[in-house]
Amino acid sequence: MLEKEKEALAKRIAGEITLSADPGKTMRKWREIFGVSQTELADFLGVSSSVISDYEGGRRKSPGASTIRKFVEALISIDEKRGSNVIRAFSKTIGSDLPTEAILDMREFSLPVTIKELVDTIKGEIVANMDLLDRKLYGYTVVDSIHAILEMSSEDFLKLYGWTTERALIFTKVTTGRSPMIAIRVQGMKPAVVILHGVKKLDELAVKIAERERVPLVISHVENEETLIMNLRRLVEKKEKEI
């Protein structure tokens, strides 16, 4: 089960590390996507955590093919022991650019960005949990909120998270923000940040849910949906150039 997906994911990770101008940063990105600590990875590989730290910090020379293979196999093995959550999330993206019609755009960052960087990109106004702006994001999903509310099932909603919940969920065509925040609370899985676009009058309940769930809530003041997506893609391109 999931053998093809595991192989495809392994090739994706190994390829990114091999082609990266900073392999250590790319290794760290993937370790964090899998939610594996340096200590846990080091224990699995039978090395000290300082070895992992040195690779990620660029203090060791670029890893060879054997090291990359062991690194990738370790992440996938650890994920399998935890229930294959990352592998399953990756499998949902194979064969389809956008897994549901409600998703207008969905990208992963080649290097993580902070919530603050994203807020600056989309002319954001922070309305809840300003103290969490240094949290790292590994991707974003732009959702048509009307389409999502009317047509998405619980299973479809999970597809919004791509490979990891450490991402921004950006809802367009929002009137008050109440429905997206209720959906997130009911669903149980929490994104790293929620961004609302098109808000006419923010509902106090949306803010209260965000505060209770400790999910930063942001209102985007970008002129329109097209500009919002264009600005987000420019941020993706900027990160790709930094590799």
Side-chain angles (χ1 to χ4, degrees):
M1 185 178 180
L2 295 175
E3 289 303 316
K4 289 183 179 179
E5 290 81 356
K6 282 167 51 181
E7 183 180 354
L9 180 54
K11 288 180 178 178
R12 169 74 178 268
I13 299 169
E16 279 197 18
I17 295 171
T18 302
L19 296 174
S20 175
D22 192 333
K25 279 187 179 180
T26 306
M27 292 172 73
R28 178 178 177 177
K29 180 193 85 168
W30 281 105
R31 177 180 61 77
E32 291 179 343
I33 284 176
F34 275 80
V36 177
S37 69
Q38 288 185 344
T39 301
E40 184 178 11
L41 179 59
D43 288 346
F44 191 93
L45 292 172
V47 300
S48 68
S49 57
S50 64
V51 171
I52 306 300
S53 178
D54 286 346
Y55 271 121
E56 293 183 355
R59 292 180 291 277
R60 281 180 177 252
K61 65 180 182 179
S62 297
S66 176
T67 300
I68 293 173
R69 185 184 72 250
K70 291 177 182 178
F71 172 81
V72 173
E73 289 175 348
L75 291 181
I76 289 178
S77 294
I78 292 171
D79 188 57
E80 286 183 301
K81 289 182 178 180
R82 295 175 174 178
S84 301
N85 293 330
V86 177
I87 297 169
R88 292 179 189 281
F90 173 76
S91 71
K92 295 175 184 177
T93 69
I94 296 177
S96 174
D97 290 333
L98 298 175
T100 171
E101 291 182 4
I103 296 177
L104 304 178
D105 196 30
M106 188 175 192
R107 303 293 174 98
E108 312 299 322
F109 294 120
S110 52
L111 292 175
V113 305
T114 63
I115 293 175
K116 185 179 185 307
E117 284 182 89
L118 192 66
V119 168
D120 292 341
T121 298
I122 50 89
K123 296 182 181 178
E125 174 190 353
I126 305 145
V127 295
N129 301 307
M130 186 177 291
D131 59 308
L132 299 177
L133 295 187
D134 289 333
R135 182 179 288 177
K136 292 179 181 178
L137 303 172
Y138 293 92
Y140 69 81
T141 307
V142 183
V143 191
D144 182 316
S145 63
I146 296 175
H147 193 131
I149 292 166
L150 293 178
E151 300 181 27
M152 286 181 68
S153 64
S154 295
E155 183 177 348
D156 286 336
F157 198 86
L158 294 177
K159 295 177 182 178
L160 302 182
Y161 291 96
W163 298 9
T164 173
T165 57
E166 294 303 307
R167 68 192 306 107
L169 290 192
I170 304 166
F171 294 89
T172 67
K173 299 182 178 67
V174 174
T175 302
T176 67
R178 174 185 284 221
S179 296
M181 293 310 299
I182 289 176
I184 287 169
R185 176 164 172 74
V186 171
Q187 191 63 43
M189 292 181 69
K190 296 187 292 185
V193 61
V194 173
I195 297 171
L196 307 175
H197 182 262
V199 174
K200 293 181 174 63
K201 184 179 180 181
L202 183 63
D203 193 306
E204 290 184 5
L205 179 60
V207 177
K208 289 180 180 178
I209 292 174
E211 290 173 343
R212 179 165 182 172
E213 299 295 319
R214 291 293 286 160
V215 176
L217 183 61
V218 178
I219 297 175
S220 171
H221 294 292
V222 171
E223 295 79 8
N224 52 57
E225 200 173 86
E226 292 74 19
T227 303
L228 173 70
I229 293 174
M230 181 180 67
N231 288 355
L232 290 165
R233 290 181 178 178
R234 283 176 177 168
L235 182 58
V236 171
E237 292 171 1
K238 175 185 175 184
K239 288 298 170 181
E240 288 175 348
K241 291 177 181 177
E242 292 178 8
I243 295 179

